């Protein structure tokens, strides 16, 4: 299988500050990878290196020829004060293909409509972005990523701040895009329980450590306990994996005698 | 009344050029929440003019000092480079940096002008002297405004993208720093030239109030630009027309009309929601 992105002993950081070192892994074509870890662990740093906006201070990060990323940013990164329609936003995914100083044509508009149809919100094409629900906004951003015809779809915390229904729908949509179109997907999230039930591989970024593998290999008591440095149990319920951190043992009552 | 207005028609044309240029850029200023960057740049520009007049009075740099715009441009561009690069990100919050720049530039301008032998009253900086705009000044303003506006028409989608979602723009290969800097440069250029005639208060007004009006009335970017320019032009014409026969200061009269139009737009927005 073709490797789309390859990390070879890469060290990542900002200036002299090293965030993660000696990373070696690859993202093959057709992968469905979840990158999970707490805030501040280095997920965004790895994401930037994958996207090519951060160069490694040592080692290499290489991309397959002609790679295109479809990036779905965190929803709060987008400014909803702009008076833009859903189609306006989706069209932005075509801007680099349209070229400097040129306007979108009919072909671009058709592709935008098809992308909206793909994510199930074609009927919202003319709606203002700021009138949409959280789930609809996320679908708009996914459509924008798809309209650029990417090799890899990258979603940064796609379910942040969403309720249970919207979370399930968005994760279901992402899995459908992967299964139906064979799209390579990288999903970044802090919610291990959510991601583990949808992706095929997991990259854990915790406490300065990095571990990547198939879901079955990573979602074990020993790996998770070692990475999170607390006892973690993995169970299943109706075919869903559930990760639970064990409660701290209660301290014995103080002996005043 | 018409005779009086016609007498100052060159001033009106100049005011219209400033109104159009500032109200187009103002849509980005308001949407990007850099309203006070606009104010700080206008103050830097006025400090530049004051510096030129003070140096001229001291008999220093006579060649350059006879062109205050050169100093206004110099300080404004320095401000553009500073704010365009993130405004000294670090321990000091960006809005505090803008506040410091504004306060220091305003004070420096007043101190320098009070000690300049050829200086004018410092309220000229605040209110401007729009009635003093000549046909030559208008041509100068057009020579600045037209290329800036053309740049914004040609690269509309680039300016829009980096303003709306810089991270995604970066992933698609856009040099976000370059486009941001270009946007700030066009802003600085227009402010530096407009400041000489319109003063800090009127330039700030044209950068903010018409854009707010446009964004209140319109649900799309094209509409926001249209109504921003329309309300700026209307405010300039009506404010100017009232100020000349009634002997009112032109700048504040234009600002008052701008404010009234923004209130009207707010009313329209409320009515639309019902």
């Amino acid at each position: 299988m073709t490797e789309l992105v390859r990390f070879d002993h890469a060290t990542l950081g900002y200036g002299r500050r090293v965030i993660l070192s000696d990373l070696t892994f690859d993202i093959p074509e057709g992968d469905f990878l979840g990158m999970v870890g707490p805030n501040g662990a280095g997920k965004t740093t790895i994401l930037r290196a994958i996207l090519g906006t951060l160069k490694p201070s040592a080692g290499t990060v290489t991309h397959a020829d002609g790679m295109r990323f479809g990036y779905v940013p965190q929803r709060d990164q987008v400014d909803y004060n702009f008076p833009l329609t859903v189609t306006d936003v989706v069209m932005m995914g075509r801007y680099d293909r349209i070229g400097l100083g040129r306007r979108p044509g009919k072909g671009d508009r058709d592709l935008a409509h098809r992308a909206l149809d793909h994510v199930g919100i074609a009927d919202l094409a003319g709606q203002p972005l700021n009138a949409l629900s959280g789930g609809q906004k996320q679908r708009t951003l996914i459509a924008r990523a798809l309209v650029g015809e990417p090799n890899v779809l990258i979603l940064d915390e796609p379910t942040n701040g969403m309720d249970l229904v919207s979370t399930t729908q968005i994760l279901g949509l992402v899995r459908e895009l992967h299964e139906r179109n064979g799209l390579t997907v990288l999903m970044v999230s802090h919610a291990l329980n959510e991601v583990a039930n949808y992706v095929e591989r997991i990259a854990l970024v915790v406490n300065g450590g990095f571990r990547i593998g198939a879901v079955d290999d990573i979602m074990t008591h020993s790996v998770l306990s070692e990475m999170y440095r607390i006892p973690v149990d993995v169970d299943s319920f109706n075919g869903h994996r559930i990760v639970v951190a064990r409660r701290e043992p209660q301290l014995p009552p103080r002996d005043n005698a | 009344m018409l005779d009086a207005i016609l007498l100052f028609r060159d001033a009106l044309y100049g005011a219209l050029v400033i109104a159009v240029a500032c109200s187009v850029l103002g849509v980005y200023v308001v949407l990007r929440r850099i309203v006070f960057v606009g104010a700080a740049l206008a103050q830097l520009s006025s400090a530049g003019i004051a510096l030129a007049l003070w140096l001229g009075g001291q008999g220093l740099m006579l060649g350059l000092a006879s062109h205050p715009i050169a100093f206004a441009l110099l300080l404004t561009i320095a401000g553009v480079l500073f704010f365009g690069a993130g405004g000294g990100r670090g321990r000091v919050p960006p809005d505090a940096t803008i506040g410091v720049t504004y306060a220091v530039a305003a004070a420096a301008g007043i101190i320098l002008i009070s000690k300049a032998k050829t200086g004018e009253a410092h309220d000229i900086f605040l209110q401007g002297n729009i009635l003093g705009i000549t046909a030559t000044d208008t041509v100068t303003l057009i020579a600045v405004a037209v290329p800036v506006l053309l740049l914004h028409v040609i690269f509309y989608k680039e300016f829009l993208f980096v303003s709306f979602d810089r991270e995604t723009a970066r992933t698609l290969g856009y040099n976000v720093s370059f486009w941001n800097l270009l946007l700030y440069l066009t802003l600085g250029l227009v402010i530096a030239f407009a400041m000489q005639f319109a003063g800090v208060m009127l330039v700030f007004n044209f950068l903010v109030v018409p854009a707010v009006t446009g964004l209140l009335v319109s649900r799309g970017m094209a509409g926001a630009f249209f109504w921003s320019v329309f309300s700026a032009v209307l405010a300039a014409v009506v404010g100017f027309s009232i100020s000349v026969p009634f002997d009112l200061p032109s700048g504040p009269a234009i600002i008052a009309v701008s404010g009234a139009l923004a209130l009207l737009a707010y009313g329209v927005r409320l009515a639309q929601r019902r």
Side-chain angles (χ1 to χ4, degrees):
Chain A
M1 205 170 268
T2 317
E3 290 165 359
L4 297 180
V5 182
R6 175 158 185 76
F7 281 64
D8 190 5
H9 300 286
T11 297
L12 306 175
Y14 304 95
R16 287 182 185 173
R17 195 161 68 95
V18 172
I19 306 290
L20 291 157
S21 59
D22 203 28
L23 295 179
T24 298
F25 71 98
D26 50 53
I27 302 176
E29 194 174 3
D31 199 3
F32 190 4
L33 176 65
M35 187 153 61
V36 184
N39 292 336
K43 301 190 300 289
T44 305
T45 306
I46 297 177
L47 190 60
R48 285 185 177 150
I50 291 172
L51 290 165
T53 56
L54 178 73
K55 302 290 172 212
S57 53
T60 57
V61 178
T62 49
H63 299 99
D65 287 342
M67 269 290 295
R68 276 185 70 83
F69 294 106
Y71 176 61
V72 182
Q74 295 188 26
R75 269 178 307 139
D76 57 6
Q77 202 174 292
V78 169
D79 192 336
Y80 297 99
N81 277 323
F82 279 66
L84 296 167
T85 64
V86 168
T87 304
D88 291 336
V89 175
V90 173
M91 199 66 83
M92 288 177 183
R94 302 282 309 160
Y95 277 5
D96 65 319
R97 288 189 182 254
I98 293 166
L100 273 185
R102 298 178 68 182
R103 294 278 183 267
K106 187 181 177 303
D108 300 304
R109 279 190 288 276
D110 288 346
L111 283 169
H113 191 268
R114 210 178 301 162
L116 284 170
D117 199 29
H118 221 74
V119 300
I121 53 166
D123 54 322
L124 299 176
Q127 289 293 310
L129 186 67
N130 56 16
L132 306 184
S133 69
Q136 289 167 337
K137 282 174 184 161
Q138 196 59 270
R139 283 171 190 263
T140 303
L141 297 179
I142 293 173
R144 182 180 67 173
L146 293 176
V147 81
E149 297 164 323
N151 306 88
V152 182
L153 179 67
I154 296 181
L155 304 105
D156 193 359
E157 302 280 3
T159 58
N160 230 2
M162 280 188 187
D163 64 11
L164 195 63
V165 177
S166 302
T167 296
T168 311
Q169 287 175 343
I170 290 296
L171 291 175
L173 170 68
V174 174
R175 183 156 69 181
E176 194 187 321
L177 289 169
H178 166 70
E179 287 175 354
R180 195 172 57 182
N181 307 330
L183 191 62
T184 308
V185 177
L186 167 60
M187 192 154 62
V188 177
S189 174
H190 66 276
L192 185 58
N193 271 316
E194 282 176 11
V195 173
N197 287 296
Y198 285 87
V199 300
E200 292 161 4
R201 292 203 308 152
I202 288 184
L204 271 184
V205 190
V206 186
N207 296 327
F210 180 83
R211 184 81 75 91
I212 188 167
V215 173
D216 287 340
D217 297 335
I218 297 290
M219 295 294 286
T220 65
H221 166 74
S222 61
V223 170
L224 295 180
S225 299
E226 182 196 326
M227 292 290 286
Y228 283 96
R229 296 178 193 165
I230 54 165
V232 176
D233 290 328
V234 182
D235 213 330
S236 76
F237 178 75
N238 280 351
H240 292 269
R241 286 186 184 81
I242 300 168
V243 181
V244 184
R246 263 185 224 164
R247 277 188 202 158
E248 292 283 339
Q250 287 199 336
L251 292 171
R254 185 179 289 181
D255 186 2
N256 291 322
Chain B
M1 179 172 164
L2 192 63
D3 288 345
I5 295 166
L6 284 175
L7 189 67
F8 291 106
R9 62 180 179 279
D10 288 331
L12 178 60
Y13 297 152
L16 288 175
V17 177
I18 293 170
V20 171
C22 288
S23 60
V24 168
L25 298 183
V27 173
Y28 288 108
V29 168
V30 172
L31 283 174
R32 292 177 63 126
R33 299 185 173 104
I34 52 168
V35 164
F36 289 101
V37 170
L41 289 179
Q43 270 313 347
L44 278 171
S45 177
S46 76
I49 295 172
L51 180 63
L53 294 175
W54 180 76
L55 286 172
Q58 304 299 311
L60 300 165
M61 301 177 76
L62 281 174
L64 266 180
S66 59
H67 299 286
I69 184 64
F71 285 85
L73 262 177
L74 206 69
L75 285 195
T76 311
I77 299 300
V80 160
L81 293 173
F82 179 67
F83 291 121
R89 275 172 291 201
R91 288 185 177 183
V92 184
D95 56 340
T97 313
I98 295 164
V100 169
T101 309
Y102 182 90
V104 172
I110 292 169
I111 290 169
L112 287 168
I113 204 72
S114 70
K115 293 292 171 193
K117 287 174 185 165
T118 58
E120 303 157 63
H122 91 267
D123 62 349
I124 289 293
F125 286 95
L126 207 58
Q127 293 184 19
N129 180 21
I130 213 152
L131 292 181
I133 298 179
T134 63
T136 314
D137 296 333
T138 304
V139 171
T140 307
L141 285 168
I142 289 173
V144 173
V146 168
V148 164
L149 294 179
L150 269 177
L151 209 66
H152 275 268
V153 170
I154 294 169
F155 298 117
Y156 163 71
K157 73 180 198 309
E158 284 74 23
F159 285 128
L160 175 67
F161 201 4
V162 300
S163 301
F164 175 67
D165 181 0
R166 65 172 65 187
E167 260 325 287
T168 306
R170 196 171 279 132
T171 67
L172 287 182
Y174 281 84
N175 186 338
V176 173
S177 304
F178 167 79
W179 290 107
N180 273 338
L181 195 63
L182 190 60
L183 181 69
Y184 273 80
L185 271 175
T186 57
L187 187 62
L189 207 60
V190 166
I191 287 174
F193 276 88
M195 241 308 296
Q196 288 187 97
F197 312 107
V200 174
M201 208 159 63
L202 188 55
V203 169
F204 188 53
N205 165 77
F206 277 140
L207 278 175
V208 179
V209 186
V212 169
T213 304
L215 290 165
L216 279 170
V217 173
S218 174
R219 296 175 78 183
M221 284 300 288
F225 281 115
F226 173 80
W227 288 110
S228 179
V229 172
F230 181 81
S231 65
V233 167
L234 190 63
V237 171
V238 174
F240 196 88
S241 305
I242 294 170
S243 72
V244 173
F246 293 103
D247 194 25
L248 296 169
S250 303
I254 292 170
I255 295 169
V257 178
S258 272
L261 290 173
L263 272 178
L264 189 67
Y266 184 63
V268 169
R269 181 61 171 251
L270 285 180
Q272 280 173 344
R273 280 187 183 169
R274 281 177 191 159

